[in-house]
Amino acid sequence: MNWKKYKSLPAEKKKDEAYYIIGLDIGNDSSAIAFYNLAENSAEAIDLSGGYGKPSIPTVMQYIPETKEWVFGEYAVLNAGAGTVFSSMLARMGRFDYLDVGGRSLSVAGVFALFIKEMLASVKNINPKAEIVGIVVSVPAYFSAQAHEELTRVFKQAGYEKELIALVPDRECVLAHHYQAPPKTPENALLLDIGSRELRGGLYSVAEKDGGISVVSLSSVFDSEISLSFLTKDINALFGSFLSDDGEVASNLKEQLKAFTYQHKDILFQKNIRTKPQKLYYNFVYPPVQHTLTNERVQELIAPYNKRFNRFIGDVMAKSLSGKAFAPAQIDTVLCVGGGFDMLWAKEAVASIFPKERVKFYKNPKMITAEGAACIAARELGIIDTPLAIEDKHQLTNDIGLSDGKNFLTLIERNGFWWQQHPSKLFLVNSAVEGEISLDIAELSPTGDGRTVSKMQLDGLPPRPKGVTRLEVSPTFHSNTELTIKITDMGFGDLFPKSNYAREFLVKI
């Protein structure tokens, strides 16, 4: 059913037990699904494992050429040697890539649509008469406009275009799950998320406002060098070193080693490795190999992550829009989500900084995000009547670029963060340079509306013919409203060498 049609139904008809409001957490490593229980007025997880292990499943698909069949989730990981495996599909959204599948060229979106379709089919396991009436999907905050476009296309190909309400940043889903009602008194909440791609930290002020929940972002920082993919890569290398003296693993064993790492990494980095050494059995080689992993070796592996994590927390607390640094004692609630917090070292790193009574570790973090997405869907469909509004001045809402009146060169894309390091861009002046030239810094909205925010007059450039003045444009933000644009002459080949010309302009947006 079209979600807009369901939203317009009378309140008594919305409670039909056949209607399902869905929340999805789609991740690079794993994905989860939840529904909003209309009878209980609460979000509930749907266990995709059938009651075994984690209720989430790996975001992995495998094509078996012999049978021309697709295998999904954990089976695809554990049977890695039986066919071609496709993973990290979320990270490829926005590239509009194609895959070679059994000699055929299939789009990543088309393959991903098969995965989404399989996940949503699980709703029928709860109720064979189930009708999905609304879907909210949790996506990473770094998702680009192109990635949004392609993932929306994925749901269209899966047959759920009319049910898809929105793609929502994952942090909003977690906050929606935790704050289903306003706090009794205003509080500062720290949200930490260790995912496959990066560690993200956000500091928020949460309070009741006009009968709803007001969430204001105070700080937002990420670190791509603390992530599940980095840690998994290091664990895989460690396990490989036990298999081979020189650390080199035969190409035909690499997929089996990855599956071995997937099976053992969670167990090894939990409590039991503290009490006694853990024996590893490499039963996928002949003759089988056994190795003992000690706690000391584990500590050597995680020490750099621990050190970087502590530095990261300091950055989150210091880089706030208020201009002042927060102390741990000023944080009322710490919410820890993401698969990285399944690891004991990450939990201990948080506990060493914040009082344990203020810290919330979610047992199944993927499910919390999925349940939060279901809560957002229920709000949008009029089932939950407590509004939740998030104000964020860290992410840029418009593209910022260089304009000469005809052309627009994007310097900073919208959805980026002002405090990020933004790369320099090269700009070729499409006119002869004699004396002074004028360039504009402009903002371009998602709808294509533009406005000039600053004019830069460049005088003193070397005189050159049309099309041979090449400038390097380097943006540096000082706050969410102020940045410096540095213009440097880069020359153009041997005939027009680089000069010493450089100018800086202060721009307010």
Side-chain angles (χ1 to χ4, degrees), residues 156-312:
K156 181 178 181 180
Q157 293 187 42
Y160 290 97
E161 178 185 22
K162 295 180 179 179
E163 292 81 4
L164 180 63
I165 300 172
L167 308 179
V168 178
D170 45 14
R171 56 179 187 156
E172 293 187 25
C173 296
V174 175
L175 292 168
H177 179 276
H178 186 76
Y179 292 103
Q180 296 186 37
K184 294 181 179 179
T185 58
E187 62 181 45
N188 295 322
L190 175 63
L191 174 58
L192 298 173
D193 182 356
I194 303 180
S196 65
R197 177 165 169 161
E198 63 201 3
L199 164 63
R200 302 191 71 88
L203 185 58
Y204 304 89
S205 173
V206 186
E208 186 277 332
K209 184 178 180 181
D210 300 328
I213 307 166
S214 169
V215 180
V216 179
S217 175
L218 303 175
S219 177
S220 184
V221 182
F222 67 84
D223 188 338
S224 59
E225 293 188 29
I226 303 179
S227 67
L228 280 174
S229 58
F230 266 85
L231 187 57
T232 299
K233 183 178 178 181
D234 286 347
I235 296 171
N236 198 66
L238 176 66
F239 288 172
S241 69
F242 298 153
L243 187 62
S244 168
D245 292 338
D246 59 6
E248 292 294 325
V249 179
S251 57
N252 64 319
L253 295 179
K254 288 183 178 179
E255 289 301 325
Q256 286 90 338
L257 182 61
K258 288 181 181 178
F260 183 82
T261 299
Y262 172 77
Q263 289 176 294
H264 288 79
K265 66 177 182 179
D266 288 346
I267 299 173
L268 293 174
F269 290 85
Q270 290 296 330
K271 293 182 180 180
N272 61 342
I273 194 66
R274 296 295 180 86
T275 57
K276 61 180 180 180
Q278 182 73 30
K279 292 183 179 179
L280 303 175
Y281 295 94
Y282 293 83
N283 55 8
F284 56 88
V285 297
Y286 184 83
V289 176
Q290 177 180 317
H291 190 92
T292 300
L293 180 64
T294 64
N295 176 53
E296 289 74 21
R297 193 66 181 270
V298 172
Q299 295 305 312
E300 289 177 7
L301 179 73
I302 65 175
Y305 289 93
N306 215 328
K307 184 177 180 181
R308 194 173 184 95
F309 182 88
N310 285 312
R311 185 165 64 246
F312 174 85

Side-chain angles (χ1 to χ4, degrees), residues 406-476:
K406 296 180 180 179
N407 304 301
F408 182 86
L409 173 68
T410 302
L411 298 175
I412 305 111
E413 292 185 0
R414 62 178 178 272
N415 297 327
F417 293 84
W418 63 267
W419 42 261
Q420 286 179 261
Q421 182 177 354
H422 299 279
S424 301
K425 296 287 182 72
L426 292 176
F427 179 77
L428 192 64
V429 179
N430 194 29
S431 61
V433 174
E434 295 178 0
E436 185 179 78
I437 66 171
S438 176
L439 295 174
D440 294 343
I441 296 295
E443 284 189 311
L444 194 64
S445 74
T447 59
D449 298 324
R451 75 177 186 95
T452 300
V453 296
S454 179
K455 289 186 175 292
M456 300 184 299
Q457 304 297 327
L458 306 180
D459 57 348
L461 278 167
R464 289 177 185 152
K466 177 182 178 180
V468 295
T469 297
R470 192 172 54 141
L471 305 175
E472 182 182 65
V473 186
S474 306
T476 303

Side-chain angles (χ1 to χ4, degrees), residues 363-432:
K363 185 177 181 180
N364 295 309
K366 297 295 291 185
M367 300 312 307
I368 296 305
T369 312
E371 290 176 16
C375 290
I376 291 176
R379 276 192 170 92
E380 181 61 40
L381 295 173
I383 302 299
I384 299 176
D385 56 9
T386 306
L388 184 147
I390 297 181
E391 180 185 350
D392 189 354
K393 295 181 180 178
H394 287 85
Q395 278 187 284
L396 301 168
T397 56
N398 295 325
D399 290 329
I400 299 175
L402 196 65
S403 173
D404 61 2
K406 296 180 180 179
N407 304 301
F408 182 86
L409 173 68
T410 302
L411 298 175
I412 305 111
E413 292 185 0
R414 62 178 178 272
N415 297 327
F417 293 84
W418 63 267
W419 42 261
Q420 286 179 261
Q421 182 177 354
H422 299 279
S424 301
K425 296 287 182 72
L426 292 176
F427 179 77
L428 192 64
V429 179
N430 194 29
S431 61

Side-chain angles (χ1 to χ4, degrees), residues 75-117:
Y75 294 108
V77 176
L78 299 180
N79 297 324
T84 307
V85 174
F86 302 101
S87 59
S88 298
M89 288 180 284
L90 188 73
R92 301 178 74 162
M93 290 291 97
R95 303 177 191 174
F96 302 94
D97 286 346
Y98 282 80
L99 303 169
D100 182 6
V101 182
R104 294 181 300 156
S105 181
L106 297 181
S107 68
V108 174
V111 174
F112 207 1
L114 294 175
F115 181 85
I116 297 298
K117 196 171 183 178

